[in-house]
């Protein structure tokens, strides 16, 4: 199994946050379904550097997941993006050590709050 790190960008306007919630559209569920359809892995479990609330956007959220796919990272980015809606985009992908955890290995998180 490979441990793959993705960097995501998304517009959270229409999402109920990061974490899967029954009956709600979430970034995690949307990403996991797109990845599973490309990798043919039965169940993909994406682990994020942090969760977001409903309506929150991201420009560089780090996620990791395990997969048996043989696709190159470049091919994986293109294929997953082709299966994602316009409000979510995989910016980069790379292989990381098996022990890497997007949440536990985060060295910095930057938030910017805008109130209109």
């Amino acid at each position: 199994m490979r441990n793959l790190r993705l960097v995501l960008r998304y517009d959270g306007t229409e999402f109920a946050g990061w974490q899967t919630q029954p009956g709600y559209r979430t970034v995690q569920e949307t990403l996991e379904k797109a990845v599973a359809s490309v990798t043919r892995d039965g169940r993909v479990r994406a682990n994020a550097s942090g969760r977001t609330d409903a309506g929150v956007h991201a420009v560089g959220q780090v996620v990791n997941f395990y997969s048996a796919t043989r696709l190159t990272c470049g091919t994986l980015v293109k294929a997953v993006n082709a299966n994602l809606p316009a409000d979510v985009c995989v910016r980069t992908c790379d292989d990381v050590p098996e022990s890497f955890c997007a949440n536990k290995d985060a060295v910095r998180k930057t938030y910017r709050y805008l109130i209109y």
Side-chain angles (χ1 to χ4, degrees):
M1 292 289 272
R2 295 165 67 189
N3 190 8
L4 295 161
R5 174 177 51 199
L6 305 179
V7 176
L8 307 178
R9 172 202 53 78
Y10 55 85
D11 177 332
T13 302
E14 300 297 322
F15 287 104
W18 163 262
Q19 191 170 9
T20 299
Q21 302 173 55
Y24 292 93
R25 182 176 185 240
T26 66
V27 180
Q28 181 180 21
E29 184 174 12
T30 301
L31 176 67
E32 289 174 350
K33 285 181 179 180
V35 170
S37 71
V38 170
T39 63
R40 308 272 193 238
D41 292 327
R43 172 79 165 106
V44 172
R45 182 72 176 158
N47 175 47
S49 56
R51 297 183 295 191
T52 57
D53 292 330
V56 174
H57 313 309
V59 294
Q61 185 168 21
V62 177
V63 173
N64 76 289
F65 67 96
Y66 293 91
S67 176
T69 187
R70 292 180 163 195
L71 295 172
T72 66
C73 282
T75 300
L76 193 61
V77 168
K78 291 176 187 174
V80 172
N81 280 337
N83 284 277
L84 285 171
D87 51 2
V88 183
C89 174
V90 175
R91 295 175 57 190
T92 64
C93 170
D94 59 317
D95 283 276
V96 291
E98 185 179 328
S99 62
F100 176 80
C101 172
N103 187 273
K104 294 177 183 168
D105 291 328
V107 294
R108 172 177 76 203
K109 296 178 185 181
T110 303
Y111 300 90
R112 181 169 41 162
Y113 296 90
L114 302 174
I115 301 172
Y116 294 98

